[in-house]
């Protein structure tokens, strides 16, 4: 993919040359011109002229003397002022008017205007004319920023080339690729569709969480389609000057119409496409509304059969103005979701192909460990792994690099220099083993992959990495309950061993509560409420933002159910841990000493015959 740029170089060169010429003129020519009327003479000449009675007026300044002669058109002279105590006497004797103010021909203001402003204005005018000429030659392109390109769309135009991004560079996202392939096909063979009477949608909206490859997909479309591709980000419409956004939209569509068939891609369309609300007319967002209105008008205005297709991308479809989603505008929605296990593996492979690596890497294991990661995060994982390899002086990426960078990217960088006190380390060890033990003892919970008590910058003191055995979308009530008791396991272990609790469980508490609340209010998993939705999920992608949709009495009852549910799961965790107290001590001791414990080590200790109780890491008597 090559970007077509306005040839700016010659213009810059022109301005540089102009500046140099200007400076030269100012240094040599103008002083001569302006000072041409003033003649410099020596002090002795001045005295001679004075004696000869040739001088008419004299003006004595701090360091020079200006005087005129008695000619019909008086000439102005200048001479340096000497330390001459007899000067006044001499002037008196010669009978000249020596208090006079001699007006020099050119005032400083005039000379400034003449020597700087006028030439600059001329140069600018000339430059403008030249630019116009160039633009004409380019066929009125107006693609890049000329000196005065206010109101131009500034959309980057791409022309297809063999080096571009192809669909093959986008791993997973098969559905999205299918839809986009159809669009590309339409632009290449419009006849095929016309014959049968099919009309292509005017616009398609790529919708999905950040980092899932929406922009990448659009670039792939540009690489695959053999038509011009205009790309612009929503934020580029938002300009300093009111009315500019709207005129940019107009310009963009004018260009697109000219180049049809072509594709227009508006990234992050939510910046201009937000819902319009009446309140904003009181000031502030008028500009954005105007821009959006212009966009709507343009989308209605152009002829769909001409082959201009509008792609747009957003993370926040729910914030878009409904008018944008009406038929005839962005009537096709292309979901671009977070990758599943297979997708994650493929994305890792795509990015790993670009680095030098050990041929036997197990991408499946990494993909499993990176559950929930977006494409951008997976790309980052591979890059971090490569950086780690370099740091350690190797020239290939190993499995261990990838494993480490999963943790770095998912859980924040390891902060080896952040020192935990021994007591803190011990508490964290028990806390983390508490989670893992409860998880492992419940049949449906995911087995533990790795636990570490090396602090992360994310703020988590310990970190239990759980690996889902396979992807599953449906979770049973029992599985959810087990998850909650796993969340409570950390605090539970602390309480059982130390008889006091710490702040370390705040995140667990949050997650357990969220899950319990969802079970009651969203998933209909209590007998009391049955299948009644008590919560409205407003924002699908940015998490949270769930608002209650029930009466205050029901809300109070809901809270009671949630508390009850969490407490019941806490009791379950407490029982599980109490029954396996010696295992808890044994595992915590191992973790405390090694700082890290893998899934296998964990299971080996858990399944080994019970060791002697003297191995406790923590003795209450101490
Ligand atoms: P979005 O626009 O959805 O926020 P981007 O398209 O900007 O995400 O993705 C950022 C980067 O993440 C891409 O440049 C690419 O390196 C990587 N990436 C994301 N999704 C994928 C994918 N499906 N396949 C390969 N790489 C991906
Ligand atoms: Mg993007
Ligand atoms: Zn915890």
């Amino acid at each position: 993919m090559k970007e077509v740029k306005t040839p700016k170089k010659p213009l810059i060169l022109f301005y540089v040359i102009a500046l140099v010429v200007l400076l030269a003129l100012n240094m040599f020519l103008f002083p001569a011109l302006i000072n041409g009327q003033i003649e410099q003479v020596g002090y002795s000449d001045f005295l001679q002229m004075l004696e000869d009675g040739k001088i008419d007026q004299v003006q004595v300044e701090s360091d020079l003397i200006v005087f005129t002669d008695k000619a019909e058109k008086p000439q102005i002279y200048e001479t340096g002022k000497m330390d001459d105590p007899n000067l006044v006497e001499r002037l008196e004797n010669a009978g000249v008017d020596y208090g006079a103010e001699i007006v020099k021909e050119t005032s400083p203001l005039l000379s400034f205007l003449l020597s700087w402003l006028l030439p600059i204005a001329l140069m600018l005018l000339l430059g403008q004319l030249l630019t116009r000429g160039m633009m004409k030659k380019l066929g009125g392109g107006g693609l890049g920023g000329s000196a005065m390109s206010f109101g131009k769309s500034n959309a980057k135009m791409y022309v297809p080339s063999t080096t571009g991004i192809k669909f093959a560079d986008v791993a997973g996202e098969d559905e999205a690729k299918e839809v986009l392939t159809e669009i590309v096909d339409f632009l290449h063979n419009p006849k095929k569709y016309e014959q049968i009477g099919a009309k292509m949608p005017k616009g398609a909206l790529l919708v999905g969480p950040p980092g899932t490859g929406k922009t990448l997909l659009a670039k792939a479309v540009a690489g695959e389609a053999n038509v011009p591709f205009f790309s612009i980000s929503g934020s580029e419409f938002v300009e300093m000057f009111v009315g500019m956004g709207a005129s940019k939209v107009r310009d963009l569509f004018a260009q697109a119409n000219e180049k049809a068939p072509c594709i227009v891609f508006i990234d992050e369309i939510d910046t201009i496409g937000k819902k319009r609300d009446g309140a904003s007319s009181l000031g502030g967002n008028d500009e954005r509304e105007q821009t959006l209105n212009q966009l709507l008008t343009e989308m209605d205005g152009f002829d769909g059969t001409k082959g201009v297709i509008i792609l747009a991308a957003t993370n926040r479809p729910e914030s878009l103005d409904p008018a944008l989603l009406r038929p005839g505008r962005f009537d096709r929605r292309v979901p671009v979701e977070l990758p599943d296990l297979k997708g994650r593996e493929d994305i890792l492979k795509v990015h790993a192909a670009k680095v030098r690596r050990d041929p036997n890497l197990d991408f499946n294991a990494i993909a499993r460990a990176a559950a929930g990661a977006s494409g951008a995060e997976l790309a980052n994982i591979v890059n971090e792994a490569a950086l780690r390899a370099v740091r350690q002086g190797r020239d290939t990426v190993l499995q261990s690099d990838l494993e480490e960078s999963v943790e770095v990217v998912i859980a924040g960088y390891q902060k080896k220099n952040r020192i935990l006190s021994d007591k803190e380390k011990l508490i964290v060890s028990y806390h983390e083993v508490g989670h893992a033990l409860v998880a492992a003892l419940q049949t449906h919970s995911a087995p533990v992959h790795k636990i570490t008590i090396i602090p992360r910058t994310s703020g988590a003191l310990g970190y239990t990495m759980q690996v889902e055995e396979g992807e599953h979308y449906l979770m049973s009530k029992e599985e959810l309950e087990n998850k909650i008791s796993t969340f409570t396991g950390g605090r539970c272990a602390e309480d059982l061993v130390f008889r006091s609790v710490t702040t370390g469980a705040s995140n667990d508490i949050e997650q357990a509560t969220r899950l319990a609340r969802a079970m009651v209010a969203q998933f209909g998993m209590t007998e009391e409420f049955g299948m009644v939705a008590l919560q409205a999920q407003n924002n699908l992608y940015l998490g949270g933002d769930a608002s209650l949709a029930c009466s205050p009495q029901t809300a109070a009852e809901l809270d009671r159910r949630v508390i009850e549910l969490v407490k019941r799961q806490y009791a379950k965790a407490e029982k599980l841990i109490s029954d396996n107290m010696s295992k808890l001590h044994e595992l915590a001791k191992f973790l405390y000493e090694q700082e890290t414990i893998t899934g296998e080590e964990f299971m080996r200790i858990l399944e080994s015959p019970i060791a002697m109780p003297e191995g406790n890491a923590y003795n209450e008597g101490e």
Side-chain angles (χ1 to χ4, degrees):
M1 192 156 41
K2 270 186 290 180
E3 198 177 314
V4 181
K5 280 198 193 123
T6 316
K8 278 186 200 156
K9 277 238 175 79
L11 208 59
I12 286 175
L13 204 63
F14 166 78
Y15 280 120
V16 169
I17 291 173
L19 199 67
V20 170
V21 170
L22 198 61
L23 281 176
L25 282 180
N26 258 293
M27 270 211 246
F28 305 111
L29 191 55
F30 288 123
L33 274 181
I34 287 164
N35 297 333
Q37 288 93 347
I38 300 175
E39 204 180 309
Q40 307 282 336
V41 293
Y43 195 72
S44 55
D45 292 332
F46 165 64
L47 290 183
Q48 188 61 52
M49 284 171 83
L50 201 59
E51 232 150 76
D52 296 350
K54 283 185 186 161
I55 291 179
D56 181 27
Q57 291 181 310
V58 174
Q59 179 190 340
V60 181
E61 288 177 6
S62 58
D63 53 356
L64 69 136
I65 299 168
V66 187
F67 58 97
T68 57
D69 59 13
K70 283 181 174 158
E72 210 157 280
K73 203 165 170 275
Q75 167 76 36
I76 302 174
Y77 298 88
E78 234 177 54
T79 184
K81 190 179 166 190
M82 300 291 259
D83 189 15
D84 182 355
N86 301 327
L87 180 62
V88 180
E89 199 180 320
R90 282 181 219 257
L91 291 171
E92 204 87 284
N93 291 342
V96 299
D97 177 4
Y98 61 88
E101 263 211 35
I102 296 171
V103 181
K104 292 186 210 169
E105 292 290 286
T106 42
S107 74
L109 184 66
L110 190 65
S111 77
F112 171 75
L113 282 176
L114 274 177
S115 59
W116 285 101
L117 285 188
L118 188 69
I120 286 178
L122 277 174
M123 298 290 174
L124 277 179
L125 200 69
L126 206 63
Q128 241 352 75
L129 287 176
L130 274 179
T131 322
R132 292 267 167 76
M134 270 189 221
M135 288 318 220
K136 285 242 177 67
K137 258 185 258 161
L138 283 171
L143 304 173
S146 77
M148 303 264 170
S149 72
F150 299 124
K152 293 266 184 249
S153 72
N154 285 337
K156 290 186 201 76
M157 192 177 101
Y158 295 100
V159 288
S161 97
T162 44
T163 54
I165 294 171
K166 297 279 178 186
F167 280 140
D169 294 308
V170 187
E173 308 299 351
D174 293 330
E175 287 166 60
K177 278 198 264 186
E178 205 172 289
V179 175
L180 295 173
T181 310
E182 195 188 12
I183 289 177
V184 170
D185 185 52
F186 168 76
L187 291 174
H188 287 171
N189 318 293
K191 288 256 161 57
K192 198 167 86 184
Y193 293 81
E194 261 167 45
Q195 273 167 1
I196 204 167
K199 258 203 292 182
M200 235 14 217
K202 275 187 186 173
L205 186 64
L206 300 170
V207 174
T212 45
K214 297 181 294 298
T215 308
L216 188 70
L217 271 166
K219 283 185 184 161
V221 171
E224 297 272 346
N226 248 325
V227 298
F229 185 89
F230 297 91
S231 164
I232 188 165
S233 170
S235 58
E236 285 171 55
F237 286 113
V238 184
E239 274 268 345
M240 199 162 30
F241 303 109
V242 175
M244 281 304 156
S247 97
K248 280 189 166 190
V249 172
R250 217 172 299 130
D251 182 65
L252 175 65
F253 278 83
Q255 282 183 54
N257 260 324
E258 213 170 278
K259 294 272 193 303
C262 67
I263 297 171
V264 173
F265 174 53
I266 306 176
D267 209 351
E268 319 276 350
I269 195 172
D270 38 291
T271 18
I272 50 165
K274 268 190 227 124
K275 282 195 188 74
R276 290 164 295 181
D277 45 4
S280 69
S281 61
L282 292 174
N285 279 330
D286 260 8
E287 162 70 351
R288 221 201 54 226
E289 279 194 17
Q290 274 184 27
T291 311
L292 175 57
N293 285 338
Q294 189 64 36
L295 180 65
L296 295 175
T297 316
E298 294 288 348
M299 283 193 80
D300 286 344
F302 73 81
D303 179 7
T305 56
K306 242 183 133 182
V308 179
I309 288 190
I310 323 243
L311 290 182
T314 180
N315 308 327
R316 327 186 37 186
E318 72 292 327
S319 78
L320 288 182
D321 197 283
L324 266 180
L325 306 172
R326 271 214 300 267
R329 288 165 184 159
F330 291 108
D331 40 11
R332 193 169 287 193
R333 255 184 194 229
V334 185
V336 186
E337 297 293 352
L338 285 173
D340 57 7
L341 180 61
K342 173 88 175 27
R344 290 201 300 272
E345 199 177 330
D346 291 345
I347 294 173
L348 281 171
K349 280 179 188 160
V350 164
H351 289 279
K354 297 172 200 157
V355 301
R356 200 182 308 164
R357 69 206 181 278
D358 174 12
N360 305 316
L361 292 180
D362 180 1
F363 291 111
N364 185 275
I366 304 301
R368 275 174 188 281
S374 69
E377 279 162 340
L378 292 165
N380 194 14
I381 284 173
V382 173
N383 191 49
E384 284 292 336
L387 288 176
R388 183 174 184 264
V390 173
R391 267 202 299 277
Q392 305 199 343
R394 275 179 280 111
D395 60 357
T396 49
V397 172
L398 304 179
Q399 186 76 14
S400 60
D401 294 325
L402 284 168
E403 276 168 9
E404 180 75 9
S405 73
V406 168
E407 290 175 35
V408 168
V409 172
I410 303 285
Y413 284 91
Q414 278 192 8
K415 255 197 179 173
K416 295 214 165 98
N417 50 1
R418 199 169 119 185
I419 311 289
L420 284 184
S421 76
D422 284 353
K423 173 83 180 188
E424 280 171 332
K425 234 169 87 177
L426 195 63
I427 295 175
V428 173
S429 301
Y430 272 101
H431 179 103
E432 295 303 328
V433 169
H435 285 307
L437 196 58
V438 173
L441 290 171
Q442 297 172 130
T443 43
H444 289 286
S445 280
V448 176
H449 182 253
K450 187 176 175 180
I451 310 172
T452 164
I453 55 168
I454 299 169
R456 314 277 142 166
T457 37
S458 64
L461 294 178
Y463 172 58
T464 303
M465 199 151 100
Q466 293 197 11
V467 183
E468 306 283 343
E469 264 310 312
E471 288 288 303
H472 48 279
Y473 298 102
L474 288 177
M475 303 255 307
S476 68
K477 179 179 172 188
E478 200 188 1
E479 282 171 317
L480 289 174
E481 284 175 349
N482 287 345
K483 259 193 133 129
I484 295 177
S485 60
T486 300
F487 283 134
T488 64
R491 158 65 66 85
C492 188
E494 281 183 52
D495 196 17
L496 283 173
V497 176
F498 301 99
R499 299 278 162 228
S500 82
V501 293
T502 65
T503 54
S506 62
N507 187 284
D508 301 332
I509 291 170
E510 204 182 304
Q511 296 208 52
T513 312
R514 197 184 307 148
L515 204 53
R517 186 167 278 275
M519 285 177 69
V520 178
Q522 252 184 305
F523 304 146
M525 285 178 173
T526 49
E527 295 201 344
E528 293 80 359
F529 293 125
M531 287 180 62
V532 174
L534 303 172
Q535 220 170 44
Q537 199 75 24
N538 289 335
N539 189 330
L540 211 60
Y541 287 118
L542 298 179
D545 227 38
S547 58
L548 282 179
C550 58
S551 71
Q553 291 92 324
T554 318
E557 177 69 2
L558 195 158
D559 288 338
R560 218 165 54 74
R561 293 285 155 210
V562 171
I563 294 168
E564 217 170 66
L565 180 56
V566 175
K567 277 196 169 157
R568 203 164 50 235
Q569 294 316 311
Y570 185 89
K572 189 167 98 188
E574 197 166 22
K575 170 123 192 6
L576 283 170
I577 294 178
S578 309
D579 289 350
N580 294 275
M581 210 52 181
S582 60
K583 288 294 176 198
L584 178 73
H585 285 308
E586 204 179 334
L587 286 161
K589 180 170 186 250
F590 186 97
L591 181 58
Y592 175 72
E593 281 163 3
Q594 310 287 324
E595 296 201 335
T596 308
I597 183 169
T598 65
E600 287 114 67
E601 287 165 337
F602 187 92
M603 292 318 282
R604 195 162 39 77
I605 295 174
L606 186 62
E607 279 158 10
S608 68
I610 290 172
M612 287 294 103
E614 47 84 28
N616 290 5
Y618 174 77
N619 295 317
E620 268 175 277
E622 278 180 44

